[in-house]
Amino acid sequence: MDWASVLYLGFTFGLLVIFILIVWRTYQAKNKRRLEEPKHRMLDDD
């Protein structure tokens, strides 16, 4: 493998790790409640 392939593979793997961290942080219990609160507020009657 040449250096371009190694860099491409490293960059791709790095983006995958960042994506997994974003998904993991979003679906933690405390963040999920905070992120879904506006949805429930919108459905409440005025």
Side-chain angles (χ1 to χ4, degrees), residues 9-28:
L9 185 64
F11 183 73
T12 303
F13 182 70
L15 288 177
L16 178 66
V17 169
I18 290 171
F19 176 74
I20 289 171
L21 287 174
I22 289 171
V23 170
W24 177 70
R25 184 170 182 245
T26 300
Y27 286 105
Q28 284 180 329

Side-chain angles (χ1 to χ4, degrees), residues 5-46:
S5 297
V6 172
L7 287 175
Y8 182 76
L9 185 64
F11 183 73
T12 303
F13 182 70
L15 288 177
L16 178 66
V17 169
I18 290 171
F19 176 74
I20 289 171
L21 287 174
I22 289 171
V23 170
W24 177 70
R25 184 170 182 245
T26 300
Y27 286 105
Q28 284 180 329
K30 63 179 180 176
N31 289 330
K32 190 171 182 178
R33 273 185 261 117
R34 182 179 57 87
L35 291 171
E36 290 196 5
E37 182 181 329
K39 176 180 73 173
H40 294 294
R41 244 185 317 174
M42 182 179 67
L43 296 174
D44 288 340
D45 292 332
D46 288 335

